[in-house]
Amino acid sequence: MVPETVAFLDSGVGGLPYLAHARRLLPGRRLVYVADRENFPYGEKDRTSIVSFALSLAERLINREHPALVVVACNTMSVVALDHLRARFPVPFVGVVPAVKPAASLSRRKRVGVLATRQTVEGEYLRNLILRHAAGCEVVSLSSSALVEFVEKGLSRASPREREERVRGEVDRFLSEGIDALVLGCTHFLHLEPEFRLLLDTEGIALVDSREGVTRQAVRLLQESARQGGARHGSPDGPDALYVTGPLPLEERYQWFAGQFDLELRAGP
Ligand code: DGL
């Protein structure tokens, strides 16, 4: 039988740690990932452009791979375009949004930090999320387009020292705020999880992200559609793949990321 395909979307390589997490809980599924290199970075674009990038990307992906489920592994795309994606396509979508709720319940000092893109930090979605799930908490939200850029374009060649210095620069911005939980609200930052963890542990600050919740929701939706006897979706041509949009040639770093996550590199979709 053709294996079910589960797809992941991001503006770049940010959502790959979500794919890696899901892989452990979704055995037997074919996983495909799309990095929208052509329109990267989303965090600095306006909402109308982000919606149109997301719709066009999802359309090409769905036509090519017929996924059973799409994980929008990008906070910026999720907070801006998830409703539009759900309204346009009959495929179930799981969004990734900053894990403010678990961070707020974890925080003893009731002071939480969120590190995300400018679009996420300034948007209405995060404001509402904080009102709904972090009432009584002080939430300090900061953006870093520099760290997004570093992960996308510099990580594949960065030394351990450079990785640590980049992260230290971001962590320092929160230290005077007295937070005891930090939400990584941009998927790109998960590539630097060990560096964040190391620095935050010594400060007694918990690191929070949404991988667990997102994967559980994906599993739930797939089980639900199997129970309802939904059609199995997938394309027959095999390996887990990393699609990268935009003109050829692709920069070498994409081959590096494909290797790190055991994916076959493809141009498209
Ligand atoms: N990885 C994305 C996120 O989670 C956005 C990075 C960008 O394109 O600015 O928000």
Side-chain angles (χ1 to χ4, degrees), residues 10-11 14 40-44 73-76 117 120 148 185-188:
D10 183 44
S11 61
F40 172 89
Y42 281 20
E44 299 295 307
C74 172
N75 292 266
T76 311
T117 64
T120 300
V148 172
C186 167
T187 56
H188 276 75

Side-chain angles (χ1 to χ4, degrees), residues 17 23 99 178:
R23 190 177 254 154

Side-chain angles (χ1 to χ4, degrees), residues 9-15 18 33 36 39-45 72-79 96 116-120 144-145 148-149 152 184-189:
L9 293 181
D10 183 44
S11 61
V13 296
Y18 280 78
Y33 183 99
D36 194 9
N39 298 306
F40 172 89
Y42 281 20
E44 299 295 307
K45 306 277 165 39
V72 181
C74 172
N75 292 266
T76 311
M77 199 186 323
S78 296
V79 301
V96 166
T117 64
R118 189 171 60 77
Q119 183 57 251
T120 300
S144 178
S145 58
V148 172
E149 190 83 10
E152 185 76 19
L184 293 185
C186 167
T187 56
H188 276 75
F189 305 156

Side-chain angles (χ1 to χ4, degrees), residues 75-76 97-100 112-118 120-121 126 139-148 166-174 179 181-190 192 196 200 207-209:
N75 292 266
T76 311
V97 298
V100 167
V112 167
V114 176
L115 186 62
T117 64
R118 189 171 60 77
T120 300
V121 163
L126 183 62
V139 181
V140 181
S141 307
L142 299 177
S143 68
S144 178
S145 58
L147 198 64
V148 172
R166 293 288 187 148
V167 172
R168 187 183 301 278
E170 301 300 335
V171 168
D172 281 352
R173 300 167 69 201
F174 286 97
I179 61 161
L182 177 66
V183 178
L184 293 185
C186 167
T187 56
H188 276 75
F189 305 156
L190 264 301
L192 294 164
F196 271 104
L200 293 174
L207 186 65
V208 187
D209 71 79

